[in-house]
Amino acid sequence: MKLQMSLCLLLNVIVATCAREPSSPICSRYDYEERLLERVLRNELAQETTLNEIMKTNAKVVDALKHLEDGKAKFESTFVVMEKKQIEMESRLSDFISNTSNYMNTTLAANVGALEKKQIEMETRLSDFIHNASNNMNSTLAANVGTMVKAASDMKANATVTVQQLVNEVHILKDQLKVPTIYFRARITTAIDVSSNLDVIFPMVEVNEGQGYDPSSGKFTASIPGMYLFSVQYCVYNKKQVSLDIIHQGKTLQRSYFYDGASNYPCVIMQVSASIVTGHQVWVRTYDSTSLFADSWRYTSFSGTWIHF
């Protein structure tokens, strides 16, 4: 309906403008108007075709925007799940360390109490023996007095040696019950570009309990066997990508990839736990060209901690 109204209006304008017949002696007025009408119809058809193409393009753009919104929602959901898992893991690690410390303190206190009780019992028995020996010496011959005193002295000396041995054993037991502390954290201080298949070195060491991390090579060497937890937080350049692996003895334990397309310089965390034997090494390596960002607000770091035997 709109097309017909537009056509009628255009025809009226054309007729009003061209009221006179053309000066050409060949074409009549009606022939000129017929050709003009044909040209107008062709223009209207071209405009309608163009409008249809624009509507199709608009539909495609709307569909693409919908897909982008769906992808954004999925990413945000995945990020929330990762943050929740990180919080749960940190809580479980804290509870485990606290429970282990309480158990060992309780065990050590019980063993020390038992040894102290035995020492008191032996001292009581020794005191009773000396007291009884003293009473018996008053009723025995003078020749036996020296012998009994010597025997009492020997027993006291033996008891003193035994008590000292028990004290030494308590100290040894305390040393054996000490929980080792293995923990490190290091980071980079400026943004760096790292080529594919190269080790990433974090030169600034913030903590290195157990001295297992080597800042010159970027590698951690286990001094005791057990279960370890390793974590890497990396920040990303605008319009750049990060491709990192956590490596154990040349084998990939964990892999992560991120591309910053929103100009936000985001930071991403990846974690992995593994059973490590004494002497084995763990480090970070790229599997593709990588640009790592770091400033006073965003840290790119590598950390690890021993959990239990």
Side-chain angles (χ1 to χ4, degrees), residues 201-221:
I201 298 176
F202 301 82
M204 182 178 179
V205 178
E206 296 183 337
V207 61
N208 195 10
E209 294 290 340
Q211 303 301 312
Y213 178 75
D214 183 3
S216 64
S217 65
K219 295 182 178 181
F220 167 76
T221 304

Side-chain angles (χ1 to χ4, degrees), residues 72-83:
K72 179 181 178 183
K74 291 180 180 179
F75 171 78
E76 291 177 350
S77 176
T78 303
F79 188 76
V80 170
V81 172
M82 290 178 65
E83 287 185 338

